């Protein structure tokens, strides 16, 4: 028995198409609800802030005001100098930009970069013809 490669690829493409149709229909139905949720969340947050409340409880819900710290880089050059001077590279997330890696490796004459390893991850891309 031989494997039918093209039939399998065609079946994957068909299922992808059906999935996209279902997801698009679901997203279209959900969009007005998501919009209403955003408006109500903003309204509730402002009302709770005005009333000085940090927690409210309903019959089947609970709303709690909190804060989340966000960091923005205003001047990357200045920050990178600081990070080098203070040996603060741990502030960066531990992932390497593939585009920057390729550029640096190419500029080094394709020599390996110390401390990094590379591997090729298999990837299948099936699309409608």
């Amino acid at each position: 028995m031989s494997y039918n490669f093209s039939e399998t690829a065609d079946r994957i493409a068909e299922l992808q198409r059906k999935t996209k149709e279902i997801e698009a229909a679901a997203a279209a139905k959900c969009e007005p609800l998501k919009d209403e949720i955003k408006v109500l969340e903003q309204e509730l947050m402002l009302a709770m802030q005005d009333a000085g409340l940090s927690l409210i409880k309903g019959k089947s819900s609970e709303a709690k005001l909190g804060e989340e710290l966000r960091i923005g880089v205003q001047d990357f050059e200045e920050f990178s100098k600081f990070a080098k001077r203070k040996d603060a590279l741990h502030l960066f997330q531990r992932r390497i930009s593939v585009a920057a890696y390729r550029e640096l490796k190419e500029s080094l004459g394709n020599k390996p970069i110390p401390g990094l390893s590379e591997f090729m991850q298999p990837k299948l891309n099936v699309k409608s013809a």
Side-chain angles (χ1 to χ4, degrees):
M1 183 172 116
S2 64
Y3 188 80
N4 193 329
F5 297 96
S6 62
E7 187 176 292
T8 303
D10 288 346
R11 178 68 178 145
I12 292 169
E14 177 187 346
L15 292 172
Q16 287 173 338
R17 183 187 52 75
K18 286 182 180 179
T19 301
K20 284 179 185 174
E21 286 176 5
I22 293 168
E23 288 173 344
K29 286 183 179 180
C30 288
E31 199 59 39
L33 300 175
K34 288 181 179 182
D35 290 343
E36 184 178 355
I37 289 169
K38 284 179 189 175
V39 169
L40 290 171
E41 284 177 340
Q42 184 67 22
E43 179 183 302
L44 178 59
M45 184 171 67
L46 292 173
M48 288 176 68
Q49 287 171 338
D50 288 345
L53 299 172
S54 61
L55 176 70
I56 58 106
K57 293 184 180 186
K59 292 179 184 175
S60 62
S61 64
E62 180 178 290
K64 185 176 181 179
L65 277 180
E67 293 180 332
E68 191 170 334
L69 178 65
R70 297 286 189 202
I71 311 297
V73 177
Q74 292 177 336
D75 185 340
F76 186 79
E77 290 298 320
E78 184 178 333
F79 172 68
S80 62
K81 288 176 189 175
F82 168 83
K84 289 175 190 176
R85 188 173 65 249
K86 295 291 187 178
D87 195 25
L89 297 177
H90 62 282
L91 292 173
F92 293 94
Q93 291 187 359
R94 295 180 182 211
R95 73 177 140 221
I96 304 298
S97 162
V98 174
Y101 171 82
R102 283 184 180 142
E103 289 174 10
L104 178 59
K105 187 172 178 186
E106 187 177 299
S107 74
L108 296 172
N110 287 322
K111 293 179 184 173
I113 298 174
L116 298 180
S117 64
E118 63 180 55
F119 66 94
M120 298 304 284
Q121 183 176 11
K123 180 182 174 187
L124 176 65
N125 182 17
V126 178
K127 59 183 180 179
S128 296

